[in-house]
Amino acid sequence: MIELQHIVKDYQSGNHKVTALNDINLSVNKGEVFGIIGHSGAGKSTLIRTINLLERPSSGRVFIDGVNMTELASRKLQEERRTIGMIFQHFNLLSSATVADNIAFPLRLAKRSKETVERRVAELIGLVGLDGHENKYPAQLSGGQKQRVGIARALATNPKVLLCDEATSALDPQTTNAILALLLRINRELNITIVLITHEMQVIRSICDRVAVIDGGKIVETGPVSQVFLKPQHPTTREFVEQVSGAVDKGLPLMEEAGEPQTLIRITFIGEQTYEPALYETMRDTNVPFVILQGTVSRLKNTPYGQLVLELHGAQRDTEQAIERLRSRGLDVEVIRHGSDRA
């Protein structure tokens, strides 16, 4: 659906060249919600704006539905952009236009008939939950309502792709959840491919199917959200995961009983494993005492998951047997530290 091939974006700053994007290669499947996460200045806004060529790459190619966007002449590019909607962090609404007129704006630019415009505006107002607000102006709306107008406007020309540039970062948590739920419903009901950028892992966890982590203009990690979230590889990814899961204090002192070193482990459950009594049954059968130091049970989009950090007590041979028993049940078990590993 979307293919970015060796994208480089350079800027000139005085006598110096600044590389904002460095050899970016990404593919986004039709109908999925794809997230791009990074810190401020990492290049994520530049990256998402290269998809519709609001930022033209210095080199590389952008394909959407098999069309090489980077080779299109100006008029043809303008036509193709109508298949790509975009919503913005600060809404970018016309302050002197009503809700209805803001939504109608791209349709009028496309020279659609009055009847088509009125029908489509009415459809979209219902879709985004703005019934009764048609004749209000942006100054009369809440932040969440303004973003709903922005979403409706982005959908006006029936796009195949919806780009979201920090669409929820200016909103409070409750409103953010409502907007994310709306985007997920749009994705499911209209089968629109969504690419969103954010600096919040909670946004990625809530609605994305896959994610790419960008740092210093490079993609440093990518994959299904469950894989990246539960087993982060890059330090930047681990920072974002800790936003929502919390860091494990590896310096936490371990107790010792009868001079036997103890073991700190992290167990990851995913899918139906989350609801199975694997931990209880394993520790009962192996007779290994344990203490839960940290625990989470939540969801990654539609997938339940859980993570527990445990301190296992007893002889090392017994704790190793318990760990192997847990792994034999299909659980991911990471040994964080043995008592004998202390500095």
Side-chain angles (χ1 to χ4, degrees):
M1 175 60 177
I2 300 173
E3 187 87 24
L4 305 182
Q5 298 179 351
H6 303 290
I7 296 296
V8 174
K9 178 63 179 179
D10 296 323
Y11 294 100
Q12 199 67 31
S13 178
N15 296 323
H16 303 285
K17 183 177 74 171
V18 177
T19 300
L21 300 176
N22 190 351
D23 196 29
I24 299 289
N25 293 280
L26 277 182
S27 61
V28 179
N29 301 321
K30 182 175 176 59
E32 78 174 336
V33 183
F34 191 94
I36 300 168
I37 188 168
H39 293 299
S40 296
K44 58 187 184 295
S45 289
T46 303
L47 177 56
I48 200 170
R49 289 165 66 88
T50 62
I51 294 176
N52 58 6
L53 267 69
L54 289 178
E55 292 279 358
R56 185 170 286 275
S58 303
S59 62
R61 301 190 297 176
V62 178
F63 290 88
I64 297 183
D65 249 2
V67 176
N68 186 347
M69 301 286 287
T70 46
E71 288 187 348
L72 296 180
S74 179
R75 185 168 181 175
K76 183 62 176 174
L77 177 60
Q78 188 175 11
E79 292 175 7
E80 287 295 327
R81 279 188 180 136
R82 293 192 184 119
T83 69
I84 308 169
M86 192 164 187
I87 59 176
F88 304 90
Q89 176 181 359
H90 296 296
F91 322 125
N92 288 16
L93 302 181
L94 301 170
S95 60
S96 60
T98 64
V99 166
D101 285 337
N102 266 283
I103 298 171
F105 183 69
L107 294 167
R108 289 172 179 152
L109 282 180
K111 295 182 169 50
R112 305 290 171 84
S113 69
K114 181 180 178 182
E115 294 76 15
T116 298
V117 171
E118 290 177 351
R119 182 173 63 252
R120 183 62 176 155
V121 168
E123 289 173 358
L124 290 167
I125 283 174
L127 176 68
V128 302
L130 286 174
D131 296 283
H133 298 280
E134 297 90 331
N135 297 316
K136 291 184 178 179
Y137 291 88
Q140 298 172 289
L141 304 176
S142 67
Q145 289 169 335
K146 290 176 185 176
Q147 196 56 285
R148 289 173 187 270
V149 177
I151 292 170
R153 180 185 58 190
L155 296 175
T157 55
N158 290 298
K160 298 179 288 189
V161 176
L162 182 60
L163 306 179
C164 305
D165 188 356
E166 295 274 15
T168 60
S169 63
L171 306 175
D172 63 76
Q174 184 177 358
T175 305
T176 290
N177 290 337
I179 293 298
L180 292 177
L182 174 59
L183 290 174
L184 190 56
R185 182 161 65 88
I186 287 167
N187 168 253
R188 288 171 173 166
E189 294 180 4
L190 305 181
N191 197 34
I192 290 178
T193 304
I194 296 179
V195 181
L196 62 86
I197 65 167
T198 183
H199 61 273
E200 300 173 289
M201 196 65 186
Q202 177 62 32
V203 171
I204 300 293
R205 186 176 73 166
S206 297
I207 70 169
C208 293
D209 301 298
R210 292 193 299 137
V211 60
V213 183
I214 187 169
D215 185 52
K218 297 181 179 180
I219 300 298
V220 296
E221 191 164 354
T222 187
V225 171
S226 58
Q227 172 188 313
V228 172
F229 183 83
L230 297 176
K231 299 291 289 184
Q233 301 300 307
H234 193 272
T236 299
T237 312
R238 289 195 287 270
E239 287 179 29
F240 283 117
V241 169
E242 287 168 6
Q243 288 180 356
V244 289
S245 64
V248 176
D249 184 1
K250 296 187 180 182
L252 189 70
L254 293 173
M255 296 174 60
E256 292 188 3
E257 295 181 2
E260 296 173 339
Q262 310 308 312
T263 302
L264 194 67
I265 67 172
R266 180 192 288 108
I267 305 173
T268 299
F269 312 79
I270 192 163
E272 293 305 313
Q273 294 175 332
T274 309
Y275 305 114
E276 295 175 357
L279 177 61
Y280 164 75
E281 292 174 355
T282 297
M283 298 312 181
R284 178 197 61 193
D285 295 345
T286 58
N287 199 31
V288 172
F290 66 94
V291 176
I292 297 176
L293 302 180
Q294 188 181 74
T296 299
V297 177
S298 190
R299 300 183 78 84
L300 295 167
K301 197 172 183 179
N302 300 319
T303 304
Y305 80 95
Q307 283 191 322
L308 295 175
V309 176
L310 307 181
E311 181 183 273
L312 305 185
H313 294 186
Q316 188 166 335
R317 64 180 179 275
D318 295 331
T319 60
E320 287 176 352
Q321 180 186 9
I323 289 168
E324 289 309 310
R325 184 78 66 88
L326 288 167
R327 287 171 173 162
S328 72
R329 298 189 64 152
L331 301 179
D332 183 275
V333 183
E334 175 191 356
V335 177
I336 299 172
R337 179 161 57 90
H338 286 293
S340 56
D341 295 337
R342 291 176 301 173

